[in-house]
Amino acid sequence: MTITARDPTVDPTAAPQTKGPLRRALDRFFENRAARAGLLIVVPILLAVSTYHLWWPFSPNAIDLRAINKGPSAIHWLGSDGVGRDVMARLMQGGRISLLVAVCSVAISIVIGFLVGAVASFGGRLVDGTVMRFVDLAMTLPPVIFLLVLASIAGTGIAPTILVISLLSWPVLSRMVRARLLELRERDFVVAARGMGAGLPHLLFRHGLPNCIDILVVYATLQIANAILLEAGLSFLGLGIAPPEASWGNMLNLARSTVVLEQYPWQWMFPGAVLVLTVLAINFIGDGLRDAFDPRSDLN
Amino acid sequence: MRIKTIARHLAITGLLLGGLATSVQAQGAKTITGGFDVGPGGFPKNFNPLAATGGFTWLSTYFEPLVIYNAELTELEGDLAKDYTVGDDQLTYTFNLVQETWHDGKPFTSKDVKFTLELARNKASGSLFAARLGDIASVDAPDDRTVVVKLSKPNGSFLSILSQVMILPEHALAGMPPETLATSTWWSTTPVGTGPFKFNRYVSDQYVELAADDDYRSGKPKVDVLINRYFESPAAAVAALRAGEIQFTYVEPDDAVSFKSDSNFKVIEGASYVVNYIGLNQKVELFRDVRVRQAIMHAIDRNAIIESLYGGAAKPANCGYVAPHLLPEGLEPYAYDPAKAKALLAEAGWEKINGDKPITLLTYYGSPQAANVMAAIQSMLAEVGINVVPRVVDTPTYNGIVYKEGTPDWNAFAMVYAGLQNGPNPAGISPGLNKSQIPPAGFNTMRIEFDDLSAALDAALGQTDPAKIDKSWQEVCKVMNKDLPWATLWVANRYGVASNKLRDFVWTPAPAGGPYAAHPERWDIQ
Amino acid sequence: MDAPILSISGLRAVFRIAGRDIAAVQDLDLTIGSGETVALVGESGSGKSVTSLSIIGLLPKKIGHIAEGSIALRRRDGTVTELTGLDPESLRKVRGNDIGMVFQEPMTSLNPVYTIGEQIAEPIRIHLGKSHRNAAADAVRLLAQVGIPDPDRRARQYPHELSGGMRQRATIAMALSCNPTLLIADEPTTALDVTIQAQILDLLAELQAQRGMGILFVTHNLGVVAEIADRVAVMYAGRIVESGPVSEVFTRPRHPYTAGLMRSVPRLGQATSLKAAGTPLPTIAGNVPSLALLPKGCSFAPRCAMAVDACRAAVPPLFAATSTQHSRCLRWKDL
Amino acid sequence: MNAPFLSVRNLTKHFAPTAFSRGPVVRALQDISFDIARGQVVGLVGESGSGKTTIGRSLLRLIEPTSGEISFDGIDITKLSAGPLARQRRKMQYIFQDPFASLSPRMTIGQILTEGLDIQSIGNRRERRARAEKALAAVELPVDAYDRYAHEFSGGQRQRIGIARAITLEPEFIVADEPVSALDVSIQAQIVNLLRDLQVRLGLTMLFISHDLAVVEYICDTVIVLYLGRIMEVAPAAALYARPQHPYTRALLSAIPSLDPLVKQGRQVLKGDIPSPANPPTGCVFRTRCPVALDACAGIVPPLRATSDGHLKACIRDDIA
Amino acid sequence: MLVALSVLIFILLRLAPGDPIDAYINPSSPMSASDLEVLRDRLGLDQPLPVQYLAWLRAALSGDFGYSIQRSGVAVLPLVMERIGPTALLMGTGLAIAIVLGISAGIFSAVRRNALPDIILSVVAFVGISSPAFLTALLGLYFFSVLLRWAPSGGMQTAGAPFSVSDVLAHLVLPACLLSIGHAALIMRYMRASLLEVLNQDYVRTARAKGVREFWVIIKHATRNALLPVITLIGSTVGIAIGGAIFLESVFNWPGMGLLLVNAVGTRDYPVIMGATLVIGICVILVNLLTDIVYAVVDPRIQVS
């Protein structure tokens, strides 16, 4: 094939627009139907979750012992739970917590993952070997076991959950970053920068970071989806967000009880549906971003 | 290569068919399968009665103690002891033993009892009874059917403790050094008891299977096989029960509700003998003022919680007891009155003491119901201006926090939502309230140092006159009601669900699983 | 005289990119007789590879197709088959059978997970219906024919165990395994070192002498064309701008592009005198145009020193400069 | 004559397997010595695996040599520590082969061109821009390229940007590593002309690396022929093309296809493959493919020695000159 | 590596609040401190940490992993060994189903790229990836066991019945299928992406140029190469699979490593946790080794020694 975008024999003076690689990736992203659908799902959920206190009359922790386990109605749109709390309000608050946990943990694991990967790839063979052994160790530890032990130390609650999830997820990223940077280190334009006397910070932040941005963005979205699932799993095992604080995970935990599963399905079905939908949408977005950042997608 | 794969497929198919064939053959044996170690009374995967802190419902199907509570948990009756007498000095206990043989055919004699009691008192064996049986001065076996136990000082709980000591066969265990008993495989492979069923096998982490002991003294058991299945959670057991795989299990109150309307099942309900309370750490400045404690009592609408979250199946507690014979006249009922609670708090200067800073409400109760209860309490306390934040931890974490030696971080457990056994022996609550029981000595983990309460408890514990004993405990109740060492909440009911196929099935939600006279030999299945 | 091995007329191959149809090749006529080597020469984007993929029907399915034209192939049994519009199954039976194909990158065009022998034997089994064992024996024989020493051992090796030159010999063996009438060699020596390139060129010439097949040799290297080809077609922006016997075209180019190209190629020994004289190397000004933004008229006009207004008005037709040499230049006579 | 501007002595580079992997030692360079005088252009020619790029990168210490000395204007750069090395690097620049890989896709041309000035903290923002624009003009690109991204340019234009980047720092020495081999024929000559023009105008000293002897001819004063990590022959360009002395140089010249279709014969085709640098032949590395090899060639590594008219060759046979 | 793992776990464990003795106390029917002292003494929990660790390490090196604290008379090594089988069975079956389903769906999807079946399969796969394992497990259990009674509600064998293969299989099917969902979806996505990439490779074009049938181009030439990244993925999912198995094992009461560990962590059964983690670590390392071997079998460019 000789007709490819690698062959942009466009006369620059004839082509009026100048788009950076990020802009082009975004353009491609918005052309992706699944990604658009993902955005269409996530944005309203985000909006609702972040503003619900302004327009929804119930508070997530207000109990009403006279109205427990009531099904969806005009007052409680999504019904009420075992102590008469409004499921809608808890769903929104739970979304806040779940998303907060996911976003924070991903942010932390990105910082750790990038720095570890960067140090390993630019730090010389010995550092690389040592760091990667350590990463291997962290990956040998089956995640849920690590998590069980960590969670029982750190306890339950938002901050420990964030800590646990971020500690769990950085090794994968650091491997990806390392692989990318090892490859990047040999790329001509990085060699050129070294040839001009560039030091480690310059290489890392002027070349390393921008060229890892795709990995980071894609990892971030996919990992947010993953972190939501992890939080749910942790809460399910009783190690994540503890009630009465709401999270999608601990709301789903109610389905363990056969009575709730069977007779009060609104208590788990709505959080379940919203969780799956959100994770699905974020996965769509992540996938869309991955395609958008893939230089080969220019071909199609 | 292709022929090899085909051959392999054939082999696998053959294996499957063969497997089917073996499972098709019907089992004529009458079997009851249950989740006997599900719930708070169980202690799954423990086979050593000397190390048991629960699970006696199941252990007593193949082991037996000398004396046992009746199924209503109101009185102790003889089991391996046909009857017993207590000397006037309350120091000498004489047991007359029944005629029984061990499952391996050897006769059961007084030597076994002497052996067991001595083993149970021996720390080296890893026995948890060593300290509790510390008052025993001597054990004598004057003849094969008589055992005489002498105490060094009177102990009103002695028989109650004995009811959990399963008698073990001397002939099987005497040969093993006591130190090795705790790690011996005997318990889970070839234990020998005197109960109506004998140990058949243990399939690791799955179930224990017992077989009828044909020459049991009260008659041959009606079913041939008794199986105890292990479940990770009550919910899993409920699933198995509804799927028809088991005939009995403990269930959470929520689940009990859905079984009540189902004609295939019978719901068994009983008092838990555990009083739930909000423990208020006395090492913390917050709860020194009795008016604060009173305010907490007034702030919580216990009746509403009992009505809605327990479906009415709990009794509000205004002291450590709810049993009528332990309740004195004129107890303050601490009715729900948020206005009064606010007034009391204002009077005590709560704004200054704490204000609306969050206080952790620690608990080891992980059930959905407990979560609801705590949510309700949080909300009700918030109403009067006490900001509590529930924190659920697992049992070891809870104990690790509240028992911690050295200088514990008091703020980590300013408040707890907990429960304590208050029966069938009323002495059960003493270690949680008596100032002599402050850790590391005992488990007065809330560090309650009320002199009048300790005095009342000591008096009741020292009371040897059976006629005055209830009165003494009523006094304890009165002091508790006044001083409010805890904010006492209620004693809830617990539930078991049995299939309607079961006949003459007895189960009681006893603390630690009893033991109680359940008479498994009479259980039957259609 | 027999029909030519390959006869292409009026070929137009179209790619759909960003919603627009772009002709990668148009108005292409080409014939190859038996025992003849025709070189298709041009720079990147000129459409030479698209032409070769069009012949074997391997234009990327989703975006490329042959819009018009005819491609007639004389097969081993002497029958002539029209390849355009042939159903995929019949076309498949032609590929690797009557047409052998050698690609540019011997590393990537061999499957890394199968042995050389297996890959050479595969078309023999498919098209000639030979058994595994016979096909494997044939593969070893073919390896020997393309000058690989110790062919028995090499047949059992994987591509990564061979050097670049050996790999290209192996792909040639693979292309020739069914004794095709036409061999398409798409830049077969571009990825190789010059000393190895010389070996491969010699090998191809030798094999052609033995077997008498037609060769379509696609390349951008004019020196290679001079070495191996009998006739040459020069492509620029999807069209043949000049064609004819190599001896004629190279001694007297009749298109300014060909002439410019010939001048730009460094010739051994000439540069020293240019440098001494302080003269720069001759070049063609400007850049190769994008197929998406072709100028009206002659595509080369913007870079052409000889361009006149008429050049920009319409695409010039092919003029017959001699009985064998054709040029798509209005001013061919002025060259 | 004064001391050479650049002097390479006994340069050796072995790529050893890493601490956490296994594999053979690759002997990329063996005992390489040569000089470049100020203002001179030296061509480095050889086939793949000959070590051309390794030499080019070692000169700028982008690769740490295993042993040997590289003196740059009297300073041995192999012994410089990070700080002085970074300052030294201002004077030496590199031009890469692949115009697509050598420009960061995430930076504008302006960022690419000012990166070196930025690293070396030269000038303020405006001055840097001015220098970058001057460089753009020098490589005959429009000034408005400054805010564009590399992907908008064709291969030839990108190679011009690569050259512009190399000259913004106003270096004294440039390594041009196969700067035209990825380009179309019609563009190659443009770039060679540009490089030659810049070299003359800016008085640059240059090492021009290529696999193609024909491309090297126009721009180089002296040509070094490399084979399997060793120098085969060194000669002034005119002499080398007129009278190649080493059998390998002859074979290389002969293998270049001639444009004249009538001159097909007389070509000398080397037999066999290039041996792996991980396992080079003993003695003369070329002897396995050499048409005139003797038994003695296996015994010793032929020293690089001077013959007539400024020629140096590493071959024991004098009888074939 | 394993020693490092054991040190890490050891330290982590001791950082966690509560020790095995704390796990023994039922807060609602507690024991006296002197009762507990008996147990602490016997377990040597009062010694300094390095001493405890070295004692453990010395014993472990000689093959003695001690006794479970919570289960009287149960040695750790046989206990852990007993659990490997069920976990391997569950995970093996689940992964096998996932691999077969995932790879075939991935191939199908890649070949029919952007056609309706591909879109449907991809959406299904995304839903699979996006569903929490425990939710599918719970719902699966409820529908197939409680409501439909197609499969037993948990455990590995019918209680009291003699061991039979069909019995185990009947218990295995549901959890294995549920386990496979997420993995199948993930493998399918990877396989699809990998195959699409491989289909652009030169050697695929070469195969077509040789006149290989399209079916065999996909199966023989493309799939084997496309499998390479998928093999790596499968290898690295084993750790995750153990994680997923924990949810499934606890929901389905499957007597495997996950269940054992959850219980052991819940009761601070140090010897069991140490033993089980080490065994899992060894398994993960073995699986990685196995992955490398499979990789080398599929890809001749890699040599294993």
Side-chain angles (χ1 to χ4, degrees), chain D:
Chain D
M1 206 175 104
N2 49 0
F5 179 68
L6 181 94
S7 165
V8 176
R9 285 292 168 269
N10 311 110
L11 183 68
T12 298
K13 174 67 190 177
H14 293 171
F15 290 101
T18 62
F20 294 96
S21 66
R22 279 164 292 122
V25 175
V26 175
R27 293 168 208 284
L29 294 179
Q30 300 267 54
D31 200 19
I32 301 286
S33 301
F34 62 91
D35 293 332
I36 303 179
R38 188 180 289 275
Q40 206 192 10
V41 181
V42 170
L44 198 55
V45 179
E47 293 176 281
S48 53
S50 60
K52 312 181 289 283
T53 296
T54 311
I55 292 180
R57 300 212 169 176
S58 296
L59 293 189
L60 269 60
R61 244 185 95 186
L62 292 166
I63 291 174
E64 293 295 331
T66 307
S67 66
E69 268 174 39
I70 299 164
S71 292
F72 186 86
D73 216 359
I75 303 161
D76 182 358
I77 62 158
T78 59
K79 297 192 172 61
L80 288 183
S81 62
L85 180 64
R87 280 191 293 283
Q88 188 67 34
R89 279 185 164 155
R90 189 185 300 186
K91 302 180 192 163
M92 352 192 264
Q93 286 302 309
Y94 207 92
I95 296 169
F96 296 86
Q97 168 176 5
D98 185 346
F100 292 95
S102 64
L103 305 178
S104 172
R106 311 221 172 259
M107 291 163 89
T108 61
I109 304 307
Q111 286 168 330
I112 290 171
L113 294 184
T114 55
E115 186 182 11
L117 300 167
D118 194 24
I119 292 167
Q120 297 281 353
S121 311
I122 295 169
N124 60 26
R125 218 170 145 177
R126 214 159 33 95
E127 287 161 4
R128 285 178 198 165
R129 180 165 187 143
R131 268 171 89 159
E133 282 174 354
K134 203 175 112 198
L136 278 176
V139 297
E140 295 154 22
L141 281 178
V143 178
D144 74 348
Y146 192 86
D147 291 316
R148 293 174 178 275
Y149 285 92
H151 68 86
E152 296 171 60
F153 296 88
S154 69
Q157 289 168 324
R158 296 182 64 141
Q159 199 54 291
R160 286 173 193 268
I161 295 165
I163 294 168
R165 169 174 60 190
I167 61 173
T168 46
L169 276 171
E170 296 173 1
E172 298 167 31
F173 176 63
I174 283 182
V175 175
D177 188 350
E178 305 245 17
V180 299
S181 43
L183 304 176
D184 276 324
V185 190
S186 67
I187 309 298
Q188 281 189 359
Q190 293 179 0
I191 299 297
V192 171
N193 282 338
L194 175 67
L195 276 172
R196 171 73 184 168
D197 184 44
L198 287 172
Q199 187 259 329
V200 170
R201 249 185 23 215
L202 306 175
L204 294 169
T205 311
M206 195 184 289
L207 182 72
F208 191 99
I209 298 172
S210 177
H211 66 271
D212 187 349
L213 268 168
V215 168
V216 169
E217 187 182 359
Y218 178 71
I219 196 164
C220 296
D221 304 310
T222 304
V223 177
I224 300 172
V225 180
L226 219 55
Y227 184 78
L228 266 187
R230 288 186 187 273
I231 292 179
M232 296 288 106
E233 181 167 9
V234 182
L240 186 94
Y241 291 91
R243 290 172 303 280
Q245 296 204 342
H246 196 284
Y248 175 63
T249 315
R250 292 181 186 186
L252 210 53
L253 284 168
S254 156
I256 297 170
S258 164
L259 257 193
D260 188 345
L262 302 176
V263 198
K264 265 194 194 175
Q265 56 275 67
R267 201 176 60 180
Q268 173 195 6
V269 177
L270 287 179
K271 296 270 175 266
D273 280 326
I274 305 169
S276 157
N279 186 22
T282 56
C284 175
V285 286
F286 183 58
R287 71 177 166 82
T288 51
R289 299 173 75 200
C290 182
V292 295
L294 306 171
D295 289 345
C297 294
I300 52 155
V301 177
L304 194 62
R305 57 208 172 88
T307 61
S308 56
D309 48 354
H311 253 76
L312 295 165
K313 72 166 177 177
C315 181
I316 58 169
R317 289 193 66 164
D318 288 326
D319 51 324
I320 57 158

